[in-house]
Amino acid sequence: MSRIESLLRAMTLEEKLGQLNLVTAGQAATGPIVPGETTQDIRAGQVGGVFNLWGRDVVARTQRLAVEETRLGVPLIFGLDILHGYRTIFPVPLAEVGAFDPLLWERTACASALEATCEGIHLTFAPMLDVSRDPRWGRIAEGPGEDPFVGSKFAQAKIRGFQGERLSDRGVLAATAKHFCAGGAATAGRDYAAVDVSERMLHEVYLPPFRAAVEAGCAAIMSAFNNVNGVPMTSHGKLLNGYLRRKLDFDGVIMSDYTAVTELVEHGVAADLVEAAALALTAGVDMDMVSGAYLRCLPEALARGLVAEADIDAAVARVLRLKERLRLFDDPYRFAAPAEGVQEAHRQLALDAARRAITLLSNRGILPLAADVRRIAVIGPLADARADMLGPWSAAGAAENCATIPEGLKAALPACDLIHCTGVSIEGDDERGIELACTLARSADVVVLCLGESAGMSGEAACRATPGLPGKQRQLAESIMATGAPAVALLSCGRPLTAPWLFEQAQAVLATWFLGDMAGHAIADVLTGLFNPCARLAVTWPRDVGQVPIFYASRSTGRPPDANNFYSSKYLDCPVEPQFPFGHGLSFARVTLTNLRINRLEFTLGDEVEARVDARNESEVATEETIFLFLHDVTARVARPLMELKAWAKVALAPGKSKTVAFTLTTESFSFPGDDMEPMFEPGAFDILVGLSADRKNLLTASLRMIST
């Protein structure tokens, strides 16, 4: 008899339900705390896992309560939201994904896992895999952007980084893919709001990253708060038990989000908490986060016949199996021991990640800064905002470890006279500091305008109906630029910000996002040309909120936009085209692509198609370029998107040098979900489009045809 079978036989109903109870320890300003009632519940065998608790001593003391002071001694699992770093804070995911480098994504997850496991964490509530095409949604900062193919690659890389080769190894974390699913499509970009999407959109856009996560072996999945087409995800048996468990054979733990089980009553699908607990359990949710509904209400649900004891046993077995995979029964006090020098290595990794996450959006020749610049005015509310550089969900990170923009510039340009003022606050109506800011600007060779959002304006419950520059920042920026001083604008943010006026007036604009600990140094390296920017947008950047949702992979219409046809799909007051397309990003080099060719003009199922393109660096600056390959199924029984990303490649090019870049497409690349949502293949014409972004007018095109065998 296995250990899990023995434990299930020995457990009382209350002890079983305790294993399904995931509680928060709470956090104080000075660090994590364990409330008294939580201590009592652990001793009573009523807790299976604890989150928001870290530190070797407090974790060990809390674990001792479960292992040494309960009847069966079942260890706790400790979890935490570690989305972009634990002690060392890396760029927020939306920024990091702009590097289009799965190895980088894996390395930062691996570093985070090592740091967290040194302090007793076993599981992270990451990666966040919600595809989002709406910058109003605050949690867009936490995920991989708008494209499901990118999201799938991001999922695989992060899970490899967090989990390593085996969960039993020290220094690895169990990964939780979240939020299953479609939270990024919330109505009007509001967190927790309903989602209404077609079955096709679910299978083409929102489910693929989770499928990739399951295939990569993720240990757990968290269900989303939102409903999908009227059914709350916490009770969505068709997607949890049906899609995840039966179709994908996922055998890990499924957990609810924070109090989401009790919220089934507010959703209007459960009459009381007993029904809510029963609905969630029978739909496939194993662990109830924080609400306590399973512990309090499943005995009554069992008595009413709403659940079977076999349902409870199956959920408990999955939780115990995860603890066994983590070797918690054999080593409940497992703490990784970092090697000497690892902290500095992680700081260097954070610098590399931050530099590669900065997107140069526009540049009228002012960057890199000229060698003869002697006086720089650093102006704006984000200039010296140390804590805001960390962004949302900064785990155990500390603001004092973060380099500000003035600090970075001073280190990079020690001989330069650096002057600084805030001008205005991030939010608020006080404009009194603008006059001083303009005075400083007039005395400087160049102004670095540090604009954007606070860290708290991105992340959960941080949705914005008008995602532009808040407060009086526009007034500050326009006043500075009206002085005639050359201005470089830096946008610290967790989403694209609608500010077309800024792109028209500033000499250069960079999306510096929330870059983490090494923000200031990374920004300085790019501004001075020590590092050639190479990040590309993982989201389409809108001109106006009225264009939202906006994304490159749209389907055609019978009346595509036509300036000469009034009755076509366009706006009266705004262009259809975005400010910047998916994949946009400039560098200090100029790369041209030529000679796209494919190895066959016709293919059948099972054939591989190889596309090649020549990339040439036309400048005197070494560069790293990202080249995208899109596919368009020209005619199909279901109208296909005008472009779908199928591959990308990174290429390093020395000045004046050329390289041939090759892409290989398999049969799967040419499939799409049929009426039954299973992959289907349809003979016909396809276009292969290759370029540096999703700007169709600048893509090279080749055509081929799938023929019947």
Side-chain angles (χ1 to χ4, degrees), residues 409-427:
L409 285 169
K410 193 63 180 175
L413 300 168
C416 190
D417 182 17
L418 210 66
I419 52 179
H420 161 249
C421 78
T422 299
V424 299
S425 60
I426 295 175
E427 299 181 87

Side-chain angles (χ1 to χ4, degrees), residues 103-371:
L103 180 58
L104 176 68
W105 306 337
E106 181 178 341
R107 291 174 65 208
T108 57
C110 182
S112 302
L114 179 58
E115 291 185 355
T117 53
C118 286
E119 299 191 25
I121 305 301
H122 307 134
L123 175 143
T124 175
F125 303 121
M128 201 279 266
L129 302 178
D130 291 298
V131 170
S132 182
R133 296 166 168 185
D134 190 336
R136 295 173 299 181
W137 190 54
R139 306 199 79 167
I140 193 173
E142 304 170 32
E146 72 179 53
D147 186 79
F149 180 74
V150 175
S152 297
K153 298 298 183 185
F154 183 79
Q156 294 165 346
K158 286 299 179 184
I159 290 163
R160 284 195 306 269
F162 284 133
Q163 296 192 170
E165 293 184 5
R166 293 173 300 276
L167 282 182
S168 58
D169 293 341
R170 291 197 178 194
V172 304
L173 288 170
T176 306
K178 68 178 187 184
H179 307 87
F180 186 82
C181 67
T187 300
R190 286 183 292 114
D191 246 344
Y192 321 118
V195 170
D196 196 352
V197 295
S198 69
E199 193 77 2
R200 178 161 300 282
M201 285 290 282
L202 273 177
H203 284 268
E204 290 188 3
V205 177
Y206 299 107
L207 289 175
F210 290 95
R211 181 175 194 134
V214 172
E215 291 171 351
C218 71
I221 289 176
M222 182 186 293
S223 59
F225 284 115
N226 53 276
N227 74 50
V228 172
N229 302 334
V231 182
M233 282 308 311
T234 312
S235 63
H236 208 308
K238 179 181 177 182
L239 286 174
L240 297 179
N241 274 333
Y243 181 79
L244 286 178
R245 295 271 188 230
R246 289 192 285 272
K247 184 175 180 60
L248 301 187
D249 293 324
F250 177 65
D251 62 355
V253 170
I254 297 176
M255 65 185 71
S256 79
D257 210 331
Y258 204 107
T259 68
V261 173
T262 57
E263 291 170 23
L264 292 176
V265 176
E266 187 67 28
H267 273 289
V269 297
D272 55 28
L273 291 184
V274 175
E275 284 190 10
L279 280 173
L281 183 74
T282 55
V285 175
D286 300 316
M287 297 192 83
D288 168 18
M289 183 185 286
V290 175
S291 77
Y294 278 11
L295 192 66
R296 298 194 311 272
C297 300
L298 282 181
E300 175 64 21
L302 193 62
R304 290 190 202 175
L306 299 177
V307 299
E309 191 154 4
D311 298 328
I312 296 172
D313 286 353
V316 175
R318 285 189 284 267
V319 173
L320 295 177
R321 193 175 302 120
L322 176 56
K323 294 180 178 183
E324 190 169 60
R325 291 179 64 199
L326 287 164
R327 291 191 68 248
L328 292 178
F329 290 105
D330 301 318
D331 186 11
Y333 306 103
R334 58 179 277 176
F335 297 99
E340 186 177 348
V342 72
Q343 183 177 6
E344 181 56 30
H346 288 178
R347 294 276 289 178
Q348 288 303 311
L349 177 59
L351 176 61
D352 183 44
R355 292 190 301 194
R356 298 177 69 195
I358 295 170
T359 313
L360 179 58
L361 298 173
S362 63
N363 184 20
R364 294 186 174 90
I366 193 173
L367 294 180
L369 295 176

